[in-house]
Amino acid sequence: MTEFERVYRDYFRDVFRYAMALSGDKQIAEEITSETFFKAMSALDGFRGQCDIRVWLCQIAKHSYLSRRRKDQRLTTDACMPDNPDDQDVEYAVLSAETAAVAHQALHKLEEPYKEVFTLRVFGELPFEQIAALFGKTGNWACVTYHRAKAKLKAQLEENHEHHL
């Protein structure tokens, strides 16, 4: 049995119950639980036991749930979103289908550790403290690095947008 299979077997029920408590909907809880273990599978090698694994999994579930709620809110207010990429938030640009290819090219060009910190924060939905622990740094370092990465991506997106006008 792999480490991931053991984690899945031992903590699936706890994560599902937590997702159910957050969402109040069985289908959403199942989706959140699946997403949680998918994200955990790719990040398990980087987990260094900085907290209880159950807490870590529930944090991923919480971030997945909150991300889902934000996405649902965006979809209901999509008509209010500006069409101009430089008016949009960088995270939205990376997650948006229309600008994803350009944003991912910009992200790919970003140097380390900016690329990894941004990816862990936006796609992995990890808190700054966990990102910091992965790098052996402070939470403040992770926060500053993330915001610098975001600024660099925004500048690249703005530059790309100007070149296409």
Side-chain angles (χ1 to χ4, degrees):
M1 178 177 298
T2 67
E3 177 71 10
F4 178 75
E5 290 170 331
R6 186 190 63 74
V7 168
Y8 184 83
R9 184 198 68 218
D10 291 350
Y11 299 104
F12 174 84
R13 182 172 282 139
D14 293 331
V15 173
F16 176 76
R17 283 188 200 144
Y18 182 71
M20 188 67 188
L22 286 173
S23 68
D25 181 290
K26 185 179 179 187
Q27 182 177 352
I28 292 173
E30 289 171 350
E31 291 171 8
I32 297 298
T33 302
S34 295
E35 187 175 328
T36 297
F37 281 99
F38 178 76
K39 289 177 181 177
M41 182 174 58
S42 61
L44 192 58
D45 290 340
F47 179 74
R48 294 192 176 106
Q50 60 271 23
C51 64
D52 181 272
I53 196 160
R54 180 180 290 121
V55 172
W56 180 65
L57 290 168
C58 287
Q59 286 175 338
I60 295 171
K62 180 179 87 173
H63 289 293
S64 294
Y65 173 71
L66 294 174
S67 177
R68 178 189 181 102
R69 287 195 52 191
R70 282 191 303 271
K71 183 180 176 184
D72 289 346
Q73 288 173 350
R74 274 191 216 128
L75 291 175
T76 60
T77 60
D78 209 21
C80 299
M81 295 303 276
D83 292 329
N84 190 348
D86 30 337
D87 292 340
Q88 297 176 6
D89 186 58
V90 173
E91 290 176 20
Y92 178 75
V94 171
L95 297 173
S96 166
E98 298 84 38
T99 59
V102 173
H104 282 285
Q105 286 174 348
L107 181 61
H108 183 71
K109 292 177 187 174
L110 200 60
E111 65 272 11
E112 295 296 352
Y114 301 109
K115 178 170 42 176
E116 188 170 0
V117 169
F118 185 86
T119 301
L120 289 169
R121 180 70 177 173
V122 174
F123 299 110
E125 298 178 346
L126 294 180
F128 290 125
E129 290 303 320
Q130 283 186 344
I131 294 170
L134 292 172
F135 285 89
K137 304 281 187 175
T138 66
N140 187 50
W141 173 88
C143 183
V144 168
T145 303
Y146 166 76
H147 286 289
R148 286 180 181 162
K150 195 171 173 178
K152 289 173 181 274
L153 282 172
K154 183 177 181 182
Q156 285 182 15
L157 290 172
E158 287 172 349
E159 181 181 314
N160 192 324
H161 181 70
E162 288 172 7
H163 285 7
H164 287 87
L165 288 180

